[in-house]
Amino acid sequence: MLTGFRTDFQMPSVNLFGQGTAEEIGNRLKNLGCRKPLIVTDEGLHQLGYSEKIAGYIKEAGLEVAIYPKAEPNPTDKNVEDGLKTYYEENCDSIVSLGGGSAHDCAKGIGLVAANGGKIHDYEGLDRSEKPMVPLVAINTTAGTASEMTKFTIITDTSRKVKMAIVDKHVTPVLSINDPLLMAGMPPSLTAATGLDALTHAVEAYVSTAATPVTDACAIKAIQIIPQYLPKAVANGSDMEAREQMVYAQYLAGMAFNNASLGYVHAIAHQFGGFYNLPHGVCNAILLPHVCRFNLIARKERFAEIAVALGEKTDGLSVDEAAEKAITAIERLAAQLNIPKGFKELGAKEEDIEILAQHAMQDACAATNPRKPTQKEVEAIIKAAM
């Protein structure tokens, strides 16, 4: 929705899609001039043998490899410090992130500090680094966060119990790989949560104050794909058509929000994730209809267009009625996918609402929300989502 401003459009220079593309990792690293990458992943994927499989592809290309398998679901400043220690001890020169947003964000944090020095806390905010991070290739195993192709890095500051939003052009990977074969074993609950994370990205980007015709095209296409294929991917993880379509949907949503940014769904979700260590996709899914309802007055026409993209029939309806249908469609999809109805059942407490709201208003994602709330209004959104 920017007018009269110059904009840019950022994403990795090379992006691979399709079954078997992960097998190209070794030769791709070799072509980048890398000698020994550090694979950053989580314990679950490591125990399932995913990291060893990727390490095998790298070794086949004649390269050495090391593994840091301890990225947490909400990666922390300590994860970055520990991963950086492994990076130096193993004499690595590049990084491969393997997983969903947690692994990618942890890897970005390691790479950023490796190149620029200091601590990860020094880079909270917008474009705080001076040098590009070390070469990062991101191999995605979920269809939701789009962290494999964005300039966003979310790291939990364990002392403050706050998620730091690091938005920096220097953390964009040089290469992303989306191989749906790596996603076939993703549990239904994780498939649902990450898929609704992607929908949140698309919706927030579409109503963002920084939206452009380019980001609109990406966002609206993602919104069209997700309700068609996410339920199929949840029902049958081996449905390769559904997995492939969700790969494209989450990537399109990533292209949108990487350049149009987000809004108060993410600004608030980051606080629940940091404060209670809750899954990011679930937080977004719970918050999305509540923030949309708050934003409705500022973007009625756009929400009406979102309703159509979600498959709703709006012929003969007023703009207000059509816009409301977008929210009911989102709520219906979340219910169909068994997303929790509120934060109370996840252990959140009403006495924490004030501090959550205070931190949300300071989050980088709040800047492009289409409606500017007071703290009391943010508290009301959170209370409604409890």
Side-chain angles (χ1 to χ4, degrees):
M1 301 294 289
L2 284 175
T3 57
F5 288 89
R6 293 178 63 184
T7 62
D8 59 7
F9 192 88
Q10 300 175 18
M11 58 188 289
S13 56
V14 180
N15 305 273
L16 306 182
F17 303 90
Q19 297 179 40
T21 48
E23 297 174 20
E24 297 185 27
I25 181 64
N27 287 329
R28 294 284 179 165
L29 286 165
K30 196 171 184 178
N31 292 339
L32 288 168
C34 301
R35 176 187 47 79
K36 185 177 182 179
L38 175 68
I39 296 176
V40 176
T41 191
D42 61 69
E43 289 187 358
L45 288 175
H46 185 59
Q47 290 173 3
L48 289 170
Y50 281 71
S51 53
E52 289 298 336
K53 177 185 286 189
I54 298 303
Y57 296 145
I58 294 170
K59 291 174 183 176
E60 286 174 6
L63 305 179
E64 296 181 81
V65 65
I67 301 173
Y68 174 70
K70 296 184 178 180
E72 296 180 39
N74 288 303
T76 67
D77 45 12
K78 189 175 188 309
N79 292 154
V80 174
E81 291 172 10
D82 291 345
L84 190 65
K85 183 179 178 183
T86 302
Y87 182 88
Y88 288 135
E89 287 177 347
E90 292 287 345
N91 195 26
C92 295
D93 64 350
S94 52
I95 300 176
V96 172
S97 58
L98 173 67
S102 302
H104 302 318
D105 284 6
C106 185
K108 290 175 179 180
I110 295 167
L112 194 64
V113 178
N116 288 272
K119 295 185 177 181
I120 191 61
H121 313 77
D122 300 331
Y123 304 102
E124 183 176 8
L126 179 63
D127 288 333
R128 299 288 298 276
S129 71
E130 295 182 358
K131 302 175 185 176
M133 68 175 175
V134 302
L136 169 62
V137 174
I139 304 176
N140 211 17
T141 63
T142 67
T145 70
S147 185
E148 83 281 2
M149 57 78 63
T150 70
K151 60 184 177 183
F152 284 72
T153 306
I154 309 299
I155 303 292
T156 298
D157 181 335
T158 52
S159 64
R160 292 186 292 156
K161 294 174 69 174
V162 168
K163 282 193 172 188
M164 298 181 290
I166 299 163
V167 187
D168 196 307
K169 59 182 178 294
H170 287 149
V171 302
T172 303
V174 295
L175 168 69
S176 78
I177 299 176
N178 272 284
D179 185 341
L181 291 177
L182 298 179
M183 304 174 187
M186 190 167 35
S189 60
L190 182 59
T191 301
T194 55
L196 287 172
D197 188 15
L199 180 62
T200 304
H201 293 155
V203 170
E204 289 212 285
Y206 197 67
V207 300
S208 164
T209 57
T212 70
V214 179
T215 62
D216 287 349
C218 297
I220 209 71
K221 186 62 179 178
I223 294 168
Q224 290 170 353
I225 294 172
I226 291 168
Q228 294 183 56
Y229 289 99
L230 179 56
K232 294 178 182 179
V234 170
N236 178 9
S238 297
D239 184 334
M240 279 297 108
E241 181 188 13
R243 289 292 188 197
E244 289 175 350
Q245 289 296 318
M246 282 305 300
V247 159
Y248 286 114
Q250 69 91 32
Y251 193 91
L252 285 163
M255 290 169 68
F257 90 83
N258 195 41
N259 296 281
S261 196
L262 295 159
Y264 263 97
V265 179
H266 276 77
I268 298 171
H270 290 158
Q271 312 322 314
F272 276 96
F275 205 84
Y276 301 110
N277 198 29
L278 296 176
H280 177 66
V282 173
C283 293
N284 277 340
I286 292 172
L287 284 162
L288 182 58
H290 299 286
V291 176
C292 286
R293 189 161 281 115
F294 175 78
N295 285 336
L296 208 56
I297 190 174
R299 291 286 187 272
K300 289 180 183 179
E301 293 80 5
R302 293 220 146 204
F303 279 108
E305 291 163 1
I306 288 170
V308 174
L310 288 169
E312 295 296 299
K313 303 295 184 185
T314 62
D315 293 347
L317 298 182
S318 67
V319 172
D320 286 5
E321 291 168 333
E324 186 64 35
K325 271 185 163 287
I327 299 172
T328 56
I330 290 167
E331 290 173 328
R332 187 168 59 248
L333 180 60
Q336 181 185 357
L337 300 177
N338 295 315
I339 295 296
K341 292 183 179 180
F343 286 108
K344 276 188 179 179
E345 60 185 281
L346 300 178
K349 299 175 182 178
E350 292 212 4
E351 56 260 37
D352 297 327
I353 289 177
E354 184 177 354
I355 188 68
L356 292 169
Q358 286 176 1
H359 288 159
M361 295 188 75
Q362 297 167 12
D363 191 278
C365 295
T368 46
N369 197 74
R371 184 178 177 188
K372 305 306 175 188
T374 64
Q375 183 173 317
K376 289 298 182 184
E377 287 171 328
V378 177
E379 290 176 11
I381 292 170
I382 296 173
K383 190 170 184 178
M386 292 296 274

